[in-house]
Amino acid sequence: MTSADGAPIRVALPRGDLRTPLAEQLREVGFVAQGYGEGSRVYRFEVDGRPGVEVRVFADEDVPIQVALGNYDLAICSRTWVDELLVRYRHDSIVPLRSLDLPSEPVVIAGAAGTTLEGLAAGVVRVATEYPNLAHHVLSRLRIPNYRLFEVWAQSEARPPDDAELAIGPKSDLEAEGLDVLAEAHRGGVWLIGNRESLSRRDLDAALAPLLSLP
């Protein structure tokens, strides 16, 4: 059914490292938000040749929250942030639609050279991470019996060995700091997602058709 209120189709896109490669792919499928790929400080865009479609730019981690709340109909973001939300809050309002061919890397557990998960099992393990929900999930799965999470905004790799025994974050950041990778926490990926109610009740084809044609 088409929405009777004539409301625009709202699409959330990420800023940050994904912005440039994503803008190039969007242009190739005819979904051009002028200024998005150029890094404009404006955060709202119209889409060329697609009246009624609006784009808003958010931090990558905020995108799935906006879709879950129903503020946006469609979005593209890192799957890590989708699962960081879903692993704790089982929102059936978020529908993962498809994986996209965009740069991504896994999130891993790492520690100082010589650290092993088995060797840490006897005491309290301090863990620094930007992903507390995923961290709790994976540490429980790995049967780490006694851990304390320290939620940080960035640079979890700087915490071991003095302020934490482990860090959970993007693989390249942790390896660049000289930490040993001990296990994978999340495989990463970039996904197109949608709001369940919007997909079932509104005609989103003006935005959904080109987004589904992304490689």
Side-chain angles (χ1 to χ4, degrees):
M1 294 186 296
T2 302
S3 176
D5 60 9
I9 299 171
R10 299 156 299 179
V11 181
L13 297 180
R15 61 176 184 257
D17 294 341
L18 282 175
R19 187 169 185 156
T20 298
L22 174 56
E24 293 175 359
Q25 290 197 3
L26 290 172
R27 185 177 297 276
E28 291 178 2
V29 298
F31 193 93
V32 181
Q34 292 291 349
Y36 174 66
E38 292 75 18
S40 171
R41 293 187 178 183
V42 176
Y43 290 124
R44 295 180 185 272
F45 303 94
E46 295 181 352
V47 179
D48 290 358
R50 297 183 183 275
V53 179
E54 296 181 356
V55 165
R56 175 74 189 273
V57 179
F58 294 92
D60 196 14
E61 60 266 33
D62 292 334
V63 171
I65 297 172
Q66 295 295 328
V67 174
L69 293 174
N71 295 335
Y72 286 80
D73 305 303
L74 301 166
I76 293 172
C77 61
S78 297
R79 183 61 191 249
T80 306
W81 288 114
V82 175
D83 291 340
E84 168 66 12
L85 177 67
L86 296 184
V87 75
R88 180 174 180 182
Y89 304 103
R90 301 304 298 177
H91 282 287
D92 64 0
S93 54
I94 292 182
V95 180
L97 296 173
R98 62 171 301 189
S99 176
L100 302 179
D101 183 17
L102 285 162
S104 177
E105 64 176 314
V107 170
V108 300
I109 305 172
T115 299
T116 65
L117 294 177
E118 294 79 6
L120 294 172
V124 177
V125 182
R126 299 169 299 169
V127 184
T129 185
E130 297 176 66
Y131 310 96
N133 298 329
L134 283 173
H136 175 74
H137 178 74
V138 71
L139 291 169
S140 298
R141 179 169 54 82
L142 291 172
R143 299 184 179 181
I144 304 298
N146 195 1
Y147 59 87
R148 182 178 301 172
L149 292 179
F150 294 98
E151 186 174 356
V152 297
W153 292 107
Q155 297 183 319
S156 59
E157 67 275 7
R159 297 304 181 100
D162 297 327
D163 300 315
E165 283 70 50
L166 298 176
I168 298 180
K171 183 178 181 181
S172 62
D173 292 345
L174 273 60
E175 288 183 331
E177 195 66 22
L179 302 180
D180 287 351
V181 174
L182 307 177
E184 184 177 89
H186 192 278
R187 68 181 61 183
V190 179
W191 277 67
L192 170 65
I193 62 175
N195 175 272
R196 184 177 300 277
E197 184 173 357
S198 295
L199 289 166
S200 65
R201 296 180 60 86
R202 304 192 63 207
D203 181 1
L204 304 179
D205 193 60
L208 186 57
L211 296 180
L212 284 174
S213 69
L214 287 166

